[in-house]
Amino acid sequence: MTTLKTSIGRRSFLKSAALTGGGMMLGFSWLSSCQSKTEEEVMAMPEAWFEINAYLKIGDNGVVTIYTPNPEFGQNVRTSMPMLVAEELDVNWDKVLVEQAPYHPENFGFQFTGGSRGIMSRWEPLRMAGASAKHLLRQAAAQAWQVPLEEVTTTTGMLHHQASDRSAGYGEMASAAAKLPIPEEVTLKEVKDFRIISTSRKNVDAKSIVQGQSLFGMDYHKKGMLIAMIVHPPAFGLTLESVDDAAAKAMPGIKEIVTIKSFPDGYEKGGFDTNAFPELVAIVGNSTWEVMQAKKELKASWKPITATTETINGFRGKETKHTPAGLESTDSHKAQIAEVASKPGKIVRQDGDPQAAFENAAKVIERSYSAPYLAHNSMEPINAFAHVEGDKATIAAPIQIPGFIIPTIAAGLGIPAENIEMEMPRMGGGFGRKAYAHYVVEAALISQKVHAPVKLIYTREDDMTNGIYRPTYQATYRAALDENNNLVALHVKAGGIPESPLFANRFPAGAVANYLAEEWSIDSNITIGAYRAPRSNFMAGAEQSFLDEVAEAAGKDPIQFRLDLLKQAKDNPVGEENDYDAERYAGVLELVREKAAWGQNQGNVHRGVSAYFCHNTYAAHVLDLTIEKGKPVVQKVCCAIDCGIVVNPDAAKNMAEGAITDGIGNAFYGELTFKDGVPEKSNFDKYRMIRMGEAPKEIDVHFVQNEIAPTGMGEPPFPPIFGAVANAIFKATGERQYDQPFLGDKQVLG
Amino acid sequence: MANFNLKINGKNHQLDVDPATPVLWVLRDHLHLVGTKYGCGIAQCGACTIHLDGVAMRSCIIPVSAVRDQAITTIEGLSEQGDHPVQQAWLEHDVPQCGYCQAGQIMSAAALLSDNTKPSDEDIDMAMHGNICRCGTYTRIKAAIKTAAKVG
Ligand code: FES
Ligand code: FES
C-alpha cells in the first residue's frame, strides 16, 4: 500500500463560469456519460452537487462528476485521467460524468498535452484526488453512524459498516463530506485491487463525436462573434512592408482590416513563442466565406527580414538564438548539410578509443540517412476564439500548453495575466503544433483592435505554410566489426536544420566498448517545433535501419543481434549514463519475436524489425510487407510495448495503431520542401497523407505485463516504425532505404 | 446575395447568402450545424462530407446555388438518436482519436453501405480514399464498416 501526502485542495473560484455563453465546455450532456445508453437509460440528474475536492463533485443521488485537467487532442486522457480518480474513489464507472476543467493551474496543476507525460505526471495526483474524496466520505459516514473510521468500508459508490449492518450511498454522505477538511495523508490501492485501471473503457466523448456535436475549438460560437483570418508573408525570410487594403475592405461582409504585432518591443520570448511571422494583416468580417474572399483581394508588399540574434528564455534557461536573413531552399539546405556534415562535429560522448577501434577493424560499415521537413497537418486547422474587453480577456482555443502562452498574451494586450480566462476545447489533433500558440496571441490582439469577440481561423494553406515544422535531419553512422563479426565500435554524427536530433546516451550507447557521438546544426529562418516524438522520430529510423544492416554484415539475426547488444548493456554497461533499461528494452523485442512468430517462413511476406525507447516507453515492431505491382503493401504490423501499467488497454491500442499508421505514412510520403523561402506544398492535393488503402491491413498490439507506474503512449510507438518500414523494404527489394520519404510522389519503389 | 430554401436533415431553412458560398460554410456559419468539418476546402480530405440526395459529396466545393431541391443530410441528421448502424459500429470499435475527421468518415461509410451492403476491402479502400484521418484510425474505421455491414 502506498501512503502519500496529499497535494490537492478544494477548488478556488472556478473561472470558467464566464464562458458558459459559448455553451460547449461546461454544458456537458448526458450523452457524454461513460456508457452508451439509450435515451431512456440516461442517468438521473442530481438535485444538488457537493464539491468534495478540486477534481470531483458528487451529486445527492451518487452521480460523480470528474474534472479532467489536461487538454484532449486525441490521446484519450478525457477517459483515462478520470479512470484514475474513479478507481481510488471506488465508484461505479457508469455513474461518472466527465467535464473538461478550464485552465486553472492553482486547482489543477500543470495542464498540458505533450511529451507523452500526461498519465505519467497525473498517476499519483489523480488517484490521490479519488482516494482523498473516498476518505472524506468514509469519515462522514463514521461520524453519522458514530463508529470508528477504520470500520467503514466501501464498495463501488457505497459505504458500509458491517458490524452494525449499515450502508449508505456516496450521495447520502456527500454533503457532510464536502464540509470536512481535506485529509493530510491518503492510502492508495494496490495494483492487484484495481477494478477500473487496466480494464478497457470506451472513449467518454465517442457518442458526441459520432453525432457531430460541437466539441472543437473550430466549432466555438459566441453571439456577436466575428470571423478573422490572417495574411502572412508568402515566404520565410520576408516580413510585412505595407498593406493596400482598399479592395479587400470593399468586399461584402468585411468589417475591418488591421495589422498586428505579436510581441511588444523588447519582449523576451519563451521557448514556445516560436513565430516566423510576428507582423500580420488580419481581415475581420461576418462569415468565413466572406473573409476568405476578401483575403484574396488584399494587397500587401513584403520586404526581406534582417538577421537577428536574440535571447530566449527557454527550457534550459537563457539561450541565444540566431535567425539568418535570406530566402532558403531545399537545394541550398542539401548543399549546406553536405558541407557541415563532412566536417568534425561537436563531440557529445566518447567511450573507449573509437579511433583505434576503427583503425583495427576487420570491417567498417558507413551509412548516411536523411529526412525532410514535415508539416504537422492536424485535421483541425489552427484557430482560436478571443474576446478582449478592457483589461480582461476570455479565450477558448485548441491548445496543448496554455501556461506557456499566457505571459505572451498578457504582454501583447498589456493586461495582467490573471485577467485571462482560458478554456481548452477538444483539439482536432495537435502532434506538437498546438504547443506553439502564437495564434491565440493573434486572436486576442485582433479582438482588442476590433472591440469584438473574434474567432481566428487559419485556412489549410495558412496552417501548412506558417512554419513550426519537424526539422530536416541528417545522420551518418559508422560501425566497426572485428574478425568474429562483433560490433567493437560505433560512431554517430548527426545534425539538422536548425537543431541536432542526437540523443548521445541512448542505445546502442552503453552496449559498445568504443563509442563516439558528434553533432552539428545549421541556423535557419524556417521555424521548427516539437512534432510527435521530437528528434526520436528521425533517429529511431536511422539507427534501426543501420543496426539492421550491421546485423546483416555480421551474419546475425537482426533481433538476436539487438538482444546480444542489450545483454551486454545490462551485464556490462559501458559509460556512466545510459538512458534506458536494457532489460525492459530486450523485453519488448522478445515479446514481439514471440507474438509475430519471427523466423517462421512467411511466404511472399517480407519482414522488418525495429525497436526504440523514448518518452519513457519501450516499443518494438515487426512489419510484414508485400510488393504488389511494385507497390509496397503493409500486410500487418505486430507491436510490443512496455509502458508499465496500461490504464485503458483498448485506448492504448488505438494510440499505438495510430502512431504506426502515422509513421508508415510519413516514412512513405511525408515531405515539405522549400523554394526561395516558399513552402512548396500548401494543401492535401500536394502534401501526400496516408489514406485508407495504404494503412496496414492488420495491427496487432501487445503489452508487457508489469506493475511499473505507467508512462506515455502518444509518441513511443511512432519513431521505431520508420526503421521497420525501411528494413522490410530491404527484405522485399534488396535495396536499403536511406532517405525519407521512401516513396514520395512515386507510386512504386525503385 | 440571394435567397435559398434548403432542405437539411428533413427541415426547411431559408437564408440569404452569396450564391457562391460553399454548403460547408452555410452549414457551419449560418446554421450552426458544426458537425460537418473544414479540413482543406479543396475536396481533398473528406472532413466536410455530407449526403446530397443520399450521395456522399464534399460540401466545401458545392456552392449553395447548386443544391437546388436536393436534400442535404449532415452528420447531425444521419439518425435521430445517433444510432445509425455506422454510428453504432463506430462506438463498438471505439474508433475516434481526436475525432475531427470522424463525421466525414461516417458520412462516407454510410453512403458506401447504402449502395453496397457487402463491401469488400477494396470497395472500402476506394470509397474511403477521399477521407484523411491524420490520427491514423483507418484499421478501426475499416473494422467498423464491416461490423455495420453485418448489422445493416
Ligand atoms: S474540407 Fe472539404 S474535402 Fe476537405
Ligand atoms: S480521429 Fe483525428 S483525424 Fe481522424
Side-chain angles (χ1 to χ4, degrees), chain A residues 73-74 209 216 377-380 427-429 431, chain B residues 95-102 105 132-137 141:
Chain A
F73 73 169
I209 291 168
F216 300 91
N377 294 340
S378 307
M379 281 313 287
E380 176 195 32
M427 284 173 269
F431 307 97
Chain B
V95 173
Q97 285 189 28
C98 83
Y100 194 82
C101 72
Q102 299 295 346
Q105 305 278 4
I132 296 173
C133 176
R134 172 68 182 89
C135 297
T137 63
I141 291 174

Side-chain angles (χ1 to χ4, degrees), chain B residues 24 37-48 58-60:
Chain B
L24 168 66
K37 296 292 191 256
Y38 166 67
C40 69
I42 56 166
Q44 290 292 318
C45 77
C48 65
R58 312 296 179 217
S59 67
C60 66

Side-chain angles (χ1 to χ4, degrees), chain A residues 116-138:
Chain A
S116 300
R117 297 185 76 89
I119 287 293
M120 202 174 138
S121 68
R122 298 287 185 181
W123 174 240
E124 275 183 2
L126 288 180
R127 285 186 304 142
M128 238 189 254
S132 87
K134 182 172 76 180
H135 185 93
L136 293 175
L137 291 161
R138 287 175 54 231

Side-chain angles (χ1 to χ4, degrees), chain A residues 23-39 41-46 49 57 63-66 78 94-100 203-215, chain B residues 81:
Chain A
M24 52 173 292
M25 294 309 303
L26 284 176
F28 63 83
S29 80
W30 295 111
L31 292 167
S32 66
S33 73
C34 305
Q35 294 285 306
S36 329
K37 287 184 168 58
T38 65
E39 288 293 303
E41 287 172 324
V42 294
M43 266 183 260
M45 195 56 159
W49 286 107
K57 59 183 182 185
V63 170
V64 180
T65 291
I66 298 177
R78 277 173 53 85
D94 293 358
K95 290 266 186 289
V96 172
L97 294 168
V98 174
E99 270 190 57
Q100 182 70 48
N203 185 332
V204 298
D205 295 318
K207 243 188 159 172
S208 321
I209 291 168
V210 305
Q211 294 184 55
Q213 290 181 11
S214 167
L215 294 169
Chain B
Q81 308 282 346

Side-chain angles (χ1 to χ4, degrees), chain A residues 39 107 142 158 285 380 419 427 530 545 636 654:
Chain A
E39 288 293 303
N107 287 333
M158 294 294 291
E380 176 195 32
N419 288 9
M427 284 173 269
S545 301
K636 181 174 174 178
N654 199 345

